[in-house]
Each structure stands twice: as structure tokens, then as C-alpha cells.
Amino acid sequence: MSQAEQKRIAGRAALRYVENGMVVGVGTGSTVAHFIDALAERRHDIEGAVSSSEQSTRLLKERGIPVLDLNATGELALYVDGADECDGHKHLIKGGGGALTREKIIAAASRTFVCIIDPSKRVDVLGRFPLPIEVIPMARSYVAREIVKIGGQPVWRDGVVTDNGNWILDVHGLRITDPVALERELNQITGVVTVGLFARRPADIVLIGAEEMR
Ligand code: 5RP
């Protein structure tokens, strides 16, 4: 089975967590795009969605799903999003698509975080996928030097500006054996907006797209 098909299966499987009247938090990426397609079939049952990116906002609106403001909705019952890596504790690396800050805000504001992935995302130890870190532009070089001190190799995602007007460093060479501690440490660096480690607030449920989920 192709990876695209595995993503489609995972995206559709998350629909079973959607209940009538809900406001659904919606992540970003190619797996989430399948979830949005499935959610469109339930658009008359739900109140709307809170979106984590301009990309997902466009997809949601194209499919007739109202996009709501998190400040107006308050706590969400459900957030559905993909990931770049997922370990056995449901700790994640996210931000390959550059939407990590809004994704992390919605995850924090949601009671249940359902993570939808294809099997290639499952790892024993996080860090093979370069860890995205969103930074204030003027702090890029300072943050990069601080990251080198703790053993990472930061690479500027040149040309990419996030939805929040910031820049991204992708940190290579980390073997993340204690994701909670590393997330805390990186969050302390001045100029860091968001670390793409979702360990202090991990996923609650992980759906891995596979044949038997059809
Ligand atoms: C975007 C993300 C995505 O969830 C992550 O990159 C996975 O994307 P895809 O479903 O396309 O593999 O964190 O910032």
C-alpha cells in the first residue's frame, strides 16, 4: 500500500472522534488534508473548525466548513493533526510544514489530541527528522549558536516565513532520549517562539494508517 493511501486511511479514521455540535481543531499537512476531506462530509453536523494555518484555513473554507477564532471558542474537545515523528510515548516532532506554533497552541487548548500518521513516522527515539524551531527573525543567529552549544546542527529554512512572520531553524543531529527535558531547555532560549517537540503536551491517541483500518 502506498504512503499516500496510508495517510488517507489515517485521516479518515479520525472522523470517528468527531461528534455532533463540536468545534474541531484542525492541524496542517498532507495527512490532515485527507481528514479535512472526510470532515467535509460531516460539515452540517459540526459547528466549525479552528485552523492551525493559512493552508488549512483555505482547504476548510473551500469545503464549506466555517473557520472559527480560538479566542471565541474557548477550550476545544478535539484536535486532529499529523506529525513528522512519533515515539512510543506519543511524543512528537512537528513543524515540517512550518505550522508548529499555531498547532501547539491548539493542542494545548484541546482536551483530546488525535494524531494521524503513516507508519514511516513511528520511531523508537525522536530526532532523525530535523527538529523545527520557530524563531524571531533578529534572533536567528543567536539561537543557532545556543543550539550548537547543546550539540545540535541548526539549518536555516531559508526563504520560509511562517504564518506569524517568523523564521524556522531545522536542527539536525539530535538524538532525543528525554523529549520533555529538551523541550523545556530549548524553550528557555531567548528568541525562540516555539519548539517543534510536542512532549509536555503529547498526543492522546495515535492513529497509524494501515490496511486493517480500512
Ligand atoms: C506541519 C506538521 C505536519 O503535521 C507534519 O509535517 C506532517 O505532515 P504530513 O501529514 O504532510 O506528513 O507538523 O507543521
Side-chain angles (χ1 to χ4, degrees):
M1 183 187 290
S2 70
Q3 190 184 40
E5 180 62 5
Q6 291 166 335
K7 288 183 182 209
R8 197 187 69 79
I9 289 172
R12 292 202 69 84
L15 202 58
R16 78 173 80 118
Y17 295 91
V18 174
E19 292 173 12
N20 290 351
M22 264 185 175
V23 177
V24 182
V26 174
T28 299
S30 56
T31 316
V32 164
H34 292 295
F35 173 65
I36 294 174
D37 283 341
L39 191 63
E41 296 164 15
R42 296 278 306 273
R43 69 179 177 280
H44 300 299
D45 303 332
I46 62 170
E47 204 176 312
V50 171
S51 171
S52 61
S53 63
E54 300 302 326
Q55 181 189 324
S56 289
T57 297
R58 185 174 44 77
L59 292 177
L60 288 160
K61 287 183 174 169
E62 280 171 6
R63 284 152 185 75
I65 300 169
V67 176
L68 309 174
D69 177 358
L70 185 63
N71 289 311
T73 61
E75 186 184 62
L76 303 181
L78 176 67
Y79 179 50
V80 177
D81 198 358
D84 300 298
E85 277 188 354
C86 172
D87 74 10
H89 302 282
K90 304 185 181 77
H91 296 149
L92 312 172
I93 287 182
K94 290 186 46 54
L100 61 162
T101 296
R102 297 186 190 186
E103 290 174 342
K104 209 166 200 179
I105 292 167
I106 304 177
S110 299
R111 280 199 296 281
T112 303
F113 175 5
V114 174
C115 183
I116 48 176
I117 55 172
D118 66 80
S120 73
K121 307 292 182 65
R122 234 339 236 110
V123 297
D124 291 331
V125 179
L126 298 173
R128 197 178 55 210
F129 189 92
L131 177 65
I133 299 184
E134 182 166 343
V135 298
I136 297 290
M138 76 170 286
R140 172 180 61 88
S141 161
Y142 167 73
V143 172
R145 289 195 298 278
E146 292 301 300
I147 288 170
V148 168
K149 285 182 194 165
I150 62 169
Q153 295 138 34
V155 176
W156 179 24
R157 208 182 288 183
D158 200 359
V160 172
V161 178
T162 69
D163 287 346
N164 315 302
N166 297 317
W167 291 350
I168 291 182
L169 293 172
D170 291 306
V171 183
H172 297 247
L174 296 173
R175 193 169 183 280
I176 307 173
T177 50
D178 189 344
V180 174
L182 184 64
E183 183 179 359
R184 193 180 298 120
E185 186 178 1
L186 292 170
N187 272 328
Q188 299 299 324
I189 301 174
T190 304
V192 166
V193 176
T194 301
V195 178
L197 263 176
F198 285 50
R200 298 176 66 205
R201 200 288 179 240
D204 299 302
I205 296 161
V206 176
L207 302 176
I208 305 176
E211 181 78 53
E212 53 274 19
M213 285 174 75
R214 270 183 198 272

